[in-house]
Amino acid sequence: MITNVGIVGAGQMGCGIAHVCALAGYKVTLYDLSAERIEAGLATINGNLARQVSNGKLSDEDRRATLSRIRGTGDVHDFASADLVIEAATEDESVKRKIFAQVCPVLKPEALLATNTSSLSITRLASATDRPERFMGIHFMNPVPVMKLVELVRGIATGEATFTKAKEFVASLDKTVTVAEDFPAFIVNRILLPMINEAIYTLYEGVGSVEAIDTAMKLGANHPMGPLQLADFIGLDTCLSIMQVLYDGLADSKYRPCPLLVKYVEAGWLGRKSGRGFYDYRGEVPVPTR
Ligand code: NAD
């Protein structure tokens, strides 16, 4: 039975996953590299829970109880009692491999290990662990407290018992499962990211401004957010990593990352999380940067 959940990475996704797990009653251990990241993550979770209280979706007592179930840590040894650890660190295979090398020796033999990767091969990541049969992809969507879907992805070695437990776990969070095969970027991002990349090409080629492209897709295709707004929301470094995985993994030039996306990432303009991307978020309202 899963009661203790460990999470690696207190970024956008790790915090969201911690939020929904603690709200569902799980004890959560949230790990990141520095005390500042952990503090910032806990503050974000508190802010998001407080918003749910002011929207009338949660009582203040539940907010406090939820927060009390989350423990931040800078020490992987605190995963010793975890029944499930979900890795939600930076979308970089070498980072994830290093994390598995650190975390695996600490885990109980029967503990499950999952990754929230948006695009990387589950089979390959599993091979960097000591438990490929108890490893799989549990891919949450951003923002986790709001989005209903979780993609489940099995690697070649993932055991049936692992898959069943993951399905039960996701259901306990009141999310809906969709199952994807282990191909680059799975289902959602295989379809979504080429659209975002095409929107960036549309900007790069001067077909439209940031505002024109986002307005066109919001009002013309009935998307709740424009593709450039969405790219900023996902994080431009994550968008670029996913396009690179699609390009390398499927060996088709249609997945070539737009040079403008590369430039934004090189500039450190990573979207909302760094204060600037296709929009500048440092003022009261977001202002297009092109
Ligand atoms: P993020 O940049 O907001 O957070 C990443 C966190 O990982 C940072 O806090 C960083 O300090 C931490 N980290 C890096 N190396 C670490 C290490 N060695 N040990 C511990 N922590 C480490 O990124 P994010 O948007 O939260 O994405 C995290 C993962 O979730 C990625 O695999 C990404 O592909 C996936 N994902 C992202 C989205 C999205 O929309 N952003 C959606 C679904 C899945």
mmCIF file of all heavy atoms in Angstrom, residues 2-7 17-30 65-72 78-79 81-86 169 173:
data_model
loop_
_atom_site.group_PDB
_atom_site.id
_atom_site.type_symbol
_atom_site.label_atom_id
_atom_site.label_comp_id
_atom_site.label_asym_id
_atom_site.label_seq_id
_atom_site.Cartn_x
_atom_site.Cartn_y
_atom_site.Cartn_z
ATOM 1 N N ILE A 2 0.424 2.259 -0.718
ATOM 2 C CA ILE A 2 1.212 3.497 -0.769
ATOM 3 C C ILE A 2 0.677 4.468 0.287
ATOM 4 O O ILE A 2 -0.499 4.830 0.271
ATOM 5 C CB ILE A 2 1.127 4.133 -2.182
ATOM 6 C CG1 ILE A 2 1.771 3.196 -3.215
ATOM 7 C CG2 ILE A 2 1.791 5.508 -2.204
ATOM 8 C CD1 ILE A 2 1.550 3.602 -4.655
ATOM 9 N N THR A 3 1.546 4.871 1.213
ATOM 10 C CA THR A 3 1.167 5.923 2.166
ATOM 11 C C THR A 3 2.167 7.077 2.142
ATOM 12 O O THR A 3 1.786 8.226 2.322
ATOM 13 C CB THR A 3 1.030 5.399 3.617
ATOM 14 O OG1 THR A 3 2.216 4.683 3.946
ATOM 15 C CG2 THR A 3 -0.154 4.501 3.808
ATOM 16 N N ASN A 4 3.441 6.729 1.908
ATOM 17 C CA ASN A 4 4.486 7.766 1.862
ATOM 18 C C ASN A 4 4.953 7.962 0.427
ATOM 19 O O ASN A 4 5.397 7.010 -0.217
ATOM 20 C CB ASN A 4 5.706 7.337 2.687
ATOM 21 C CG ASN A 4 5.401 7.346 4.157
ATOM 22 O OD1 ASN A 4 4.755 8.249 4.662
ATOM 23 N ND2 ASN A 4 5.861 6.323 4.850
ATOM 24 N N VAL A 5 4.870 9.213 -0.039
ATOM 25 C CA VAL A 5 5.294 9.518 -1.405
ATOM 26 C C VAL A 5 6.494 10.460 -1.353
ATOM 27 O O VAL A 5 6.442 11.494 -0.678
ATOM 28 C CB VAL A 5 4.142 10.174 -2.207
ATOM 29 C CG1 VAL A 5 4.600 10.523 -3.625
ATOM 30 C CG2 VAL A 5 2.929 9.262 -2.257
ATOM 31 N N GLY A 6 7.552 10.104 -2.032
ATOM 32 C CA GLY A 6 8.717 10.977 -2.157
ATOM 33 C C GLY A 6 8.688 11.661 -3.506
ATOM 34 O O GLY A 6 8.262 11.061 -4.495
ATOM 35 N N ILE A 7 9.097 12.922 -3.545
ATOM 36 C CA ILE A 7 9.121 13.656 -4.813
ATOM 37 C C ILE A 7 10.490 14.307 -4.980
ATOM 38 O O ILE A 7 10.986 14.964 -4.063
ATOM 39 C CB ILE A 7 7.992 14.716 -4.859
ATOM 40 C CG1 ILE A 7 6.634 14.007 -4.796
ATOM 41 C CG2 ILE A 7 8.101 15.583 -6.113
ATOM 42 C CD1 ILE A 7 5.474 14.897 -4.521
ATOM 43 N N ILE A 17 2.660 18.139 -7.804
ATOM 44 C CA ILE A 17 2.434 16.731 -7.449
ATOM 45 C C ILE A 17 2.365 16.598 -5.920
ATOM 46 O O ILE A 17 1.503 15.884 -5.384
ATOM 47 C CB ILE A 17 3.539 15.833 -8.061
ATOM 48 C CG1 ILE A 17 3.507 15.921 -9.600
ATOM 49 C CG2 ILE A 17 3.374 14.385 -7.625
ATOM 50 C CD1 ILE A 17 4.749 15.351 -10.288
ATOM 51 N N ALA A 18 3.253 17.329 -5.225
ATOM 52 C CA ALA A 18 3.228 17.306 -3.747
ATOM 53 C C ALA A 18 1.864 17.797 -3.242
ATOM 54 O O ALA A 18 1.258 17.205 -2.339
ATOM 55 C CB ALA A 18 4.351 18.190 -3.197
ATOM 56 N N HIS A 19 1.380 18.865 -3.856
ATOM 57 C CA HIS A 19 0.088 19.469 -3.496
ATOM 58 C C HIS A 19 -1.048 18.436 -3.582
ATOM 59 O O HIS A 19 -1.760 18.201 -2.605
ATOM 60 C CB HIS A 19 -0.138 20.646 -4.456
ATOM 61 C CG HIS A 19 -1.430 21.377 -4.327
ATOM 62 N ND1 HIS A 19 -1.509 22.747 -4.396
ATOM 63 C CD2 HIS A 19 -2.715 20.958 -4.173
ATOM 64 C CE1 HIS A 19 -2.775 23.128 -4.275
ATOM 65 N NE2 HIS A 19 -3.526 22.057 -4.160
ATOM 66 N N VAL A 20 -1.178 17.791 -4.755
ATOM 67 C CA VAL A 20 -2.312 16.873 -4.926
ATOM 68 C C VAL A 20 -2.160 15.607 -4.079
ATOM 69 O O VAL A 20 -3.159 15.063 -3.591
ATOM 70 C CB VAL A 20 -2.597 16.512 -6.409
ATOM 71 C CG1 VAL A 20 -2.983 17.757 -7.203
ATOM 72 C CG2 VAL A 20 -1.439 15.803 -7.075
ATOM 73 N N CYS A 21 -0.924 15.149 -3.876
ATOM 74 C CA CYS A 21 -0.716 13.943 -3.053
ATOM 75 C C CYS A 21 -1.076 14.245 -1.596
ATOM 76 O O CYS A 21 -1.791 13.463 -0.951
ATOM 77 C CB CYS A 21 0.733 13.464 -3.132
ATOM 78 S SG CYS A 21 1.161 12.761 -4.733
ATOM 79 N N ALA A 22 -0.588 15.380 -1.086
ATOM 80 C CA ALA A 22 -0.863 15.719 0.322
ATOM 81 C C ALA A 22 -2.359 15.965 0.528
ATOM 82 O O ALA A 22 -2.933 15.555 1.549
ATOM 83 C CB ALA A 22 -0.054 16.941 0.735
ATOM 84 N N LEU A 23 -2.985 16.599 -0.467
ATOM 85 C CA LEU A 23 -4.432 16.859 -0.372
ATOM 86 C C LEU A 23 -5.220 15.548 -0.309
ATOM 87 O O LEU A 23 -6.233 15.444 0.372
ATOM 88 C CB LEU A 23 -4.857 17.694 -1.594
ATOM 89 C CG LEU A 23 -6.219 18.365 -1.564
ATOM 90 C CD1 LEU A 23 -6.355 19.290 -0.366
ATOM 91 C CD2 LEU A 23 -6.431 19.169 -2.854
ATOM 92 N N ALA A 24 -4.709 14.529 -0.996
ATOM 93 C CA ALA A 24 -5.381 13.222 -1.005
ATOM 94 C C ALA A 24 -5.037 12.395 0.245
ATOM 95 O O ALA A 24 -5.498 11.263 0.374
ATOM 96 C CB ALA A 24 -5.002 12.454 -2.272
ATOM 97 N N GLY A 25 -4.197 12.944 1.125
ATOM 98 C CA GLY A 25 -3.925 12.263 2.395
ATOM 99 C C GLY A 25 -2.581 11.559 2.493
ATOM 100 O O GLY A 25 -2.255 10.982 3.527
ATOM 101 N N TYR A 26 -1.792 11.603 1.398
ATOM 102 C CA TYR A 26 -0.469 10.954 1.452
ATOM 103 C C TYR A 26 0.509 11.819 2.243
ATOM 104 O O TYR A 26 0.407 13.047 2.235
ATOM 105 C CB TYR A 26 0.092 10.759 0.031
ATOM 106 C CG TYR A 26 -0.703 9.774 -0.780
ATOM 107 C CD1 TYR A 26 -1.646 10.205 -1.709
ATOM 108 C CD2 TYR A 26 -0.537 8.411 -0.590
ATOM 109 C CE1 TYR A 26 -2.399 9.299 -2.451
ATOM 110 C CE2 TYR A 26 -1.280 7.495 -1.326
ATOM 111 C CZ TYR A 26 -2.207 7.948 -2.246
ATOM 112 O OH TYR A 26 -2.947 7.057 -2.969
ATOM 113 N N LYS A 27 1.463 11.151 2.892
ATOM 114 C CA LYS A 27 2.588 11.863 3.507
ATOM 115 C C LYS A 27 3.603 12.096 2.409
ATOM 116 O O LYS A 27 3.961 11.157 1.686
ATOM 117 C CB LYS A 27 3.218 11.017 4.605
ATOM 118 C CG LYS A 27 2.467 11.082 5.899
ATOM 119 C CD LYS A 27 3.366 10.585 7.023
ATOM 120 C CE LYS A 27 2.605 10.602 8.306
ATOM 121 N NZ LYS A 27 2.888 9.389 9.090
ATOM 122 N N VAL A 28 4.075 13.328 2.292
ATOM 123 C CA VAL A 28 4.928 13.687 1.162
ATOM 124 C C VAL A 28 6.298 14.181 1.632
ATOM 125 O O VAL A 28 6.376 15.014 2.537
ATOM 126 C CB VAL A 28 4.246 14.795 0.311
ATOM 127 C CG1 VAL A 28 5.171 15.274 -0.795
ATOM 128 C CG2 VAL A 28 2.935 14.296 -0.274
ATOM 129 N N THR A 29 7.345 13.658 1.011
ATOM 130 C CA THR A 29 8.700 14.169 1.243
ATOM 131 C C THR A 29 9.161 14.795 -0.053
ATOM 132 O O THR A 29 9.252 14.123 -1.086
ATOM 133 C CB THR A 29 9.653 13.014 1.635
ATOM 134 O OG1 THR A 29 9.083 12.342 2.760
ATOM 135 C CG2 THR A 29 11.031 13.536 2.011
ATOM 136 N N LEU A 30 9.411 16.098 -0.004
ATOM 137 C CA LEU A 30 9.744 16.862 -1.211
ATOM 138 C C LEU A 30 11.224 17.243 -1.165
ATOM 139 O O LEU A 30 11.653 17.986 -0.284
ATOM 140 C CB LEU A 30 8.853 18.118 -1.259
ATOM 141 C CG LEU A 30 9.000 19.059 -2.448
ATOM 142 C CD1 LEU A 30 8.686 18.361 -3.762
ATOM 143 C CD2 LEU A 30 8.054 20.264 -2.278
ATOM 144 N N ALA A 65 -3.876 21.170 7.232
ATOM 145 C CA ALA A 65 -3.601 19.731 7.352
ATOM 146 C C ALA A 65 -2.782 19.238 6.151
ATOM 147 O O ALA A 65 -1.858 18.440 6.293
ATOM 148 C CB ALA A 65 -4.919 18.971 7.446
ATOM 149 N N THR A 66 -3.138 19.752 4.947
ATOM 150 C CA THR A 66 -2.420 19.356 3.726
ATOM 151 C C THR A 66 -0.951 19.762 3.820
ATOM 152 O O THR A 66 -0.049 18.962 3.581
ATOM 153 C CB THR A 66 -3.084 19.996 2.479
ATOM 154 O OG1 THR A 66 -4.444 19.567 2.433
ATOM 155 C CG2 THR A 66 -2.379 19.598 1.197
ATOM 156 N N LEU A 67 -0.731 21.019 4.206
ATOM 157 C CA LEU A 67 0.651 21.507 4.326
ATOM 158 C C LEU A 67 1.448 20.701 5.347
ATOM 159 O O LEU A 67 2.628 20.432 5.146
ATOM 160 C CB LEU A 67 0.645 22.972 4.777
ATOM 161 C CG LEU A 67 0.694 24.035 3.695
ATOM 162 C CD1 LEU A 67 0.809 25.407 4.335
ATOM 163 C CD2 LEU A 67 1.870 23.813 2.735
ATOM 164 N N SER A 68 0.773 20.325 6.441
ATOM 165 C CA SER A 68 1.487 19.610 7.507
ATOM 166 C C SER A 68 1.924 18.213 7.046
ATOM 167 O O SER A 68 2.776 17.595 7.666
ATOM 168 C CB SER A 68 0.621 19.510 8.763
ATOM 169 O OG SER A 68 -0.385 18.540 8.539
ATOM 170 N N ARG A 69 1.322 17.718 5.950
ATOM 171 C CA ARG A 69 1.712 16.396 5.445
ATOM 172 C C ARG A 69 2.913 16.476 4.499
ATOM 173 O O ARG A 69 3.408 15.463 4.043
ATOM 174 C CB ARG A 69 0.524 15.726 4.736
ATOM 175 C CG ARG A 69 -0.508 15.165 5.708
ATOM 176 C CD ARG A 69 -1.508 14.264 5.010
ATOM 177 N NE ARG A 69 -2.497 15.014 4.278
ATOM 178 C CZ ARG A 69 -3.644 15.446 4.779
ATOM 179 N NH1 ARG A 69 -3.962 15.194 6.036
ATOM 180 N NH2 ARG A 69 -4.492 16.119 4.032
ATOM 181 N N ILE A 70 3.372 17.705 4.184
ATOM 182 C CA ILE A 70 4.510 17.845 3.260
ATOM 183 C C ILE A 70 5.763 18.249 4.040
ATOM 184 O O ILE A 70 5.760 19.243 4.754
ATOM 185 C CB ILE A 70 4.242 18.920 2.183
ATOM 186 C CG1 ILE A 70 2.928 18.628 1.455
ATOM 187 C CG2 ILE A 70 5.411 18.989 1.187
ATOM 188 C CD1 ILE A 70 2.511 19.692 0.463
ATOM 189 N N ARG A 71 6.814 17.444 3.855
ATOM 190 C CA ARG A 71 8.079 17.761 4.512
ATOM 191 C C ARG A 71 9.120 18.027 3.428
ATOM 192 O O ARG A 71 9.335 17.193 2.545
ATOM 193 C CB ARG A 71 8.507 16.566 5.370
ATOM 194 C CG ARG A 71 9.816 16.795 6.113
ATOM 195 C CD ARG A 71 10.006 15.742 7.180
ATOM 196 N NE ARG A 71 10.003 14.405 6.587
ATOM 197 C CZ ARG A 71 10.950 13.485 6.815
ATOM 198 N NH1 ARG A 71 11.936 13.744 7.636
ATOM 199 N NH2 ARG A 71 10.890 12.301 6.240
ATOM 200 N N GLY A 72 9.735 19.199 3.485
ATOM 201 C CA GLY A 72 10.798 19.508 2.526
ATOM 202 C C GLY A 72 12.117 18.960 3.044
ATOM 203 O O GLY A 72 12.341 18.923 4.257
ATOM 204 N N ASP A 78 15.995 10.745 3.352
ATOM 205 C CA ASP A 78 14.624 10.859 3.853
ATOM 206 C C ASP A 78 13.620 10.091 2.984
ATOM 207 O O ASP A 78 12.445 10.010 3.318
ATOM 208 C CB ASP A 78 14.224 12.331 3.973
ATOM 209 C CG ASP A 78 14.943 13.001 5.138
ATOM 210 O OD1 ASP A 78 15.331 12.280 6.086
ATOM 211 O OD2 ASP A 78 15.134 14.224 5.096
ATOM 212 N N PHE A 79 14.098 9.492 1.879
ATOM 213 C CA PHE A 79 13.217 8.650 1.057
ATOM 214 C C PHE A 79 13.190 7.198 1.554
ATOM 215 O O PHE A 79 12.545 6.352 0.941
ATOM 216 C CB PHE A 79 13.668 8.654 -0.410
ATOM 217 C CG PHE A 79 13.393 9.935 -1.151
ATOM 218 C CD1 PHE A 79 14.269 10.407 -2.130
ATOM 219 C CD2 PHE A 79 12.246 10.683 -0.898
ATOM 220 C CE1 PHE A 79 14.015 11.581 -2.821
ATOM 221 C CE2 PHE A 79 11.985 11.864 -1.579
ATOM 222 C CZ PHE A 79 12.878 12.306 -2.543
ATOM 223 N N SER A 81 11.670 5.716 3.855
ATOM 224 C CA SER A 81 10.363 5.142 4.191
ATOM 225 C C SER A 81 9.348 5.305 3.054
ATOM 226 O O SER A 81 8.172 4.958 3.209
ATOM 227 C CB SER A 81 9.823 5.783 5.471
ATOM 228 O OG SER A 81 9.779 7.174 5.294
ATOM 229 N N ALA A 82 9.785 5.825 1.907
ATOM 230 C CA ALA A 82 8.843 6.073 0.799
ATOM 231 C C ALA A 82 8.369 4.757 0.172
ATOM 232 O O ALA A 82 9.141 3.811 0.017
ATOM 233 C CB ALA A 82 9.507 6.943 -0.259
ATOM 234 N N ASP A 83 7.076 4.711 -0.165
ATOM 235 C CA ASP A 83 6.518 3.559 -0.890
ATOM 236 C C ASP A 83 6.577 3.806 -2.393
ATOM 237 O O ASP A 83 6.536 2.885 -3.193
ATOM 238 C CB ASP A 83 5.061 3.341 -0.471
ATOM 239 C CG ASP A 83 4.937 3.205 1.028
ATOM 240 O OD1 ASP A 83 5.551 2.286 1.582
ATOM 241 O OD2 ASP A 83 4.263 4.065 1.659
ATOM 242 N N LEU A 84 6.591 5.098 -2.744
ATOM 243 C CA LEU A 84 6.657 5.505 -4.147
ATOM 244 C C LEU A 84 7.461 6.791 -4.213
ATOM 245 O O LEU A 84 7.199 7.721 -3.436
ATOM 246 C CB LEU A 84 5.228 5.763 -4.674
ATOM 247 C CG LEU A 84 5.104 6.557 -5.976
ATOM 248 C CD1 LEU A 84 5.637 5.769 -7.170
ATOM 249 C CD2 LEU A 84 3.640 6.945 -6.245
ATOM 250 N N VAL A 85 8.434 6.858 -5.101
ATOM 251 C CA VAL A 85 9.156 8.114 -5.338
ATOM 252 C C VAL A 85 8.902 8.534 -6.781
ATOM 253 O O VAL A 85 9.028 7.727 -7.708
ATOM 254 C CB VAL A 85 10.674 7.963 -5.079
ATOM 255 C CG1 VAL A 85 11.442 9.194 -5.584
ATOM 256 C CG2 VAL A 85 10.945 7.772 -3.591
ATOM 257 N N ILE A 86 8.481 9.797 -6.929
ATOM 258 C CA ILE A 86 8.233 10.336 -8.272
ATOM 259 C C ILE A 86 9.320 11.369 -8.568
ATOM 260 O O ILE A 86 9.445 12.359 -7.852
ATOM 261 C CB ILE A 86 6.841 11.000 -8.365
ATOM 262 C CG1 ILE A 86 5.743 10.008 -7.958
ATOM 263 C CG2 ILE A 86 6.602 11.534 -9.779
ATOM 264 C CD1 ILE A 86 4.362 10.638 -7.827
ATOM 265 N N PHE A 169 -3.178 4.486 -7.619
ATOM 266 C CA PHE A 169 -2.634 5.709 -7.025
ATOM 267 C C PHE A 169 -3.209 6.945 -7.734
ATOM 268 O O PHE A 169 -3.686 7.876 -7.096
ATOM 269 C CB PHE A 169 -1.100 5.679 -7.110
ATOM 270 C CG PHE A 169 -0.430 6.965 -6.753
ATOM 271 C CD1 PHE A 169 -0.419 7.411 -5.432
ATOM 272 C CD2 PHE A 169 0.203 7.740 -7.726
ATOM 273 C CE1 PHE A 169 0.210 8.615 -5.093
ATOM 274 C CE2 PHE A 169 0.825 8.931 -7.392
ATOM 275 C CZ PHE A 169 0.828 9.373 -6.082
ATOM 276 N N LEU A 173 -6.019 10.154 -6.515
ATOM 277 C CA LEU A 173 -5.785 11.606 -6.598
ATOM 278 C C LEU A 173 -6.919 12.290 -7.368
ATOM 279 O O LEU A 173 -6.846 13.477 -7.667
ATOM 280 C CB LEU A 173 -4.454 11.902 -7.307
ATOM 281 C CG LEU A 173 -3.188 11.270 -6.733
ATOM 282 C CD1 LEU A 173 -1.981 11.600 -7.610
ATOM 283 C CD2 LEU A 173 -2.937 11.747 -5.307
#
